[in-house]
C-alpha cells in the first residue's frame, strides 16, 4: 500500500516510530490500528468486524465464524467470547486487540465451502453447540431470526454438514 511512497525499510521505520509515539497500535504483522479515545471508557479497541474487514481486504482471505462467536451472531448464545475463532483458507494466526483474541485456523476446502453464507454460519454454530444443546427453543429462535428463503437455501449445503446435523437442518429448512 505504501510502496509508492518509499522503500520498505523507510516505511517500516516510519510505522515503528508511529507505534512508539502511540499514534498507531500494532495488532499483528502488517495490521495496525489508530487508537480512539472515549471520555468515559478511555482508549477503545477495534471491533471484531473492523479487524475481520481489514484482514479480508488486506490478505484476500475467506473467513467463516465458528464456535461460540457463530452461535452469538445467530442469537443462540448470550456468551460474547474473548477468544473469537474463524476458519480460513489462509494461514493460521492470532491477532490480539486488547483483551480480545481473534484466532484464524486454517481448515479444509470442504469446511470453507459455505463460508460467507448463512448456511455456513448455521452449520458452524450448531456444530459448536452440539446435538445435546439443540433445544426446541434454539430452533425456534433460528426460525424467527433467519428468513424462510435463506432457511430453504440450507438444503443446498446439506452435504457440508456432519451427518448428525443434517436432519436438524432439513427440519429447519422445511418450516
Amino acid at each position: 500500500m505504501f510502496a509508492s511512497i518509499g522503500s520498505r525499510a523507510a516505511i517500516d521505520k516510519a510505522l515503528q516510530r508511529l507505534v512508539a509515539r502511540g499514534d498507531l497500535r500494532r495488532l499483528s504483522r502488517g495490521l495496525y490500528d489508530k487508537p480512539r479515545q472515549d471520555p468515559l471508557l478511555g482508549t477503545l479497541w477495534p471491533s471484531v468486524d473492523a479487524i475481520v474487514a481489514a484482514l479480508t481486504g488486506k490478505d484476500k482471505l475467506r473467513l467463516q465464524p465458528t464456535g461460540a462467536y457463530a452461535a452469538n451472531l445467530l442469537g443462540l448464545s448470550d456468551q460474547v467470547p474473548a477468544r473469537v475463532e474463524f476458519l480460513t483458507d489462509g494461514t493460521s494466526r492470532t491477532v490480539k486487540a486488547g483483551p480480545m483474541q481473534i484466532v484464524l485456523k486454517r481448515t479444509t476446502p470442504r469446511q470453507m465451502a459455505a463460508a460467507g453464507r448463512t448456511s455456513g454460519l448455521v452449520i458452524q454454530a450448531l456444530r459448536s453447540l452440539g446435538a445435546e444443546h439443540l433445544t426446541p427453543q434454539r430452533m425456534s429462535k433460528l426460525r424467527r431470526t433467519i428468513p424462510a428463503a435463506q432457511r430453504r437455501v440450507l438444503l443446498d449445503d446439506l452435504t457440508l454438514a456432519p451427518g448428525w446435523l443434517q436432519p436438524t437442518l432439513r427440519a429447519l429448512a422445511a418450516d
Side-chain angles (χ1 to χ4, degrees), residues 101-122:
Q101 281 187 334
I102 297 176
V103 179
L104 306 183
K105 291 183 176 180
R106 184 170 176 79
T107 191
T108 62
R110 179 180 176 182
Q111 292 270 5
M112 291 302 294
R117 298 197 301 261
T118 302
S119 54
L121 187 62
V122 170

Side-chain angles (χ1 to χ4, degrees), residues 122-139:
V122 170
I123 290 169
Q124 291 302 322
L126 297 181
R127 175 184 276 163
S128 76
L129 290 173
E132 64 277 3
H133 297 289
L134 296 182
T135 63
Q137 294 84 5
R138 284 192 167 133
M139 299 312 292

Side-chain angles (χ1 to χ4, degrees), residues 43-64:
T43 304
L44 301 177
W45 289 96
S47 68
V48 172
D49 294 336
I51 294 172
V52 166
L55 288 170
T56 55
K58 175 181 153 312
D59 297 333
K60 306 290 188 246
L61 297 177
R62 288 187 314 149
L63 298 178
Q64 175 63 56

Side-chain angles (χ1 to χ4, degrees), residues 66-81:
T66 188
Y69 185 62
N72 179 272
L73 288 174
L74 288 172
L76 298 176
S77 169
D78 293 333
Q79 177 185 359
V80 180

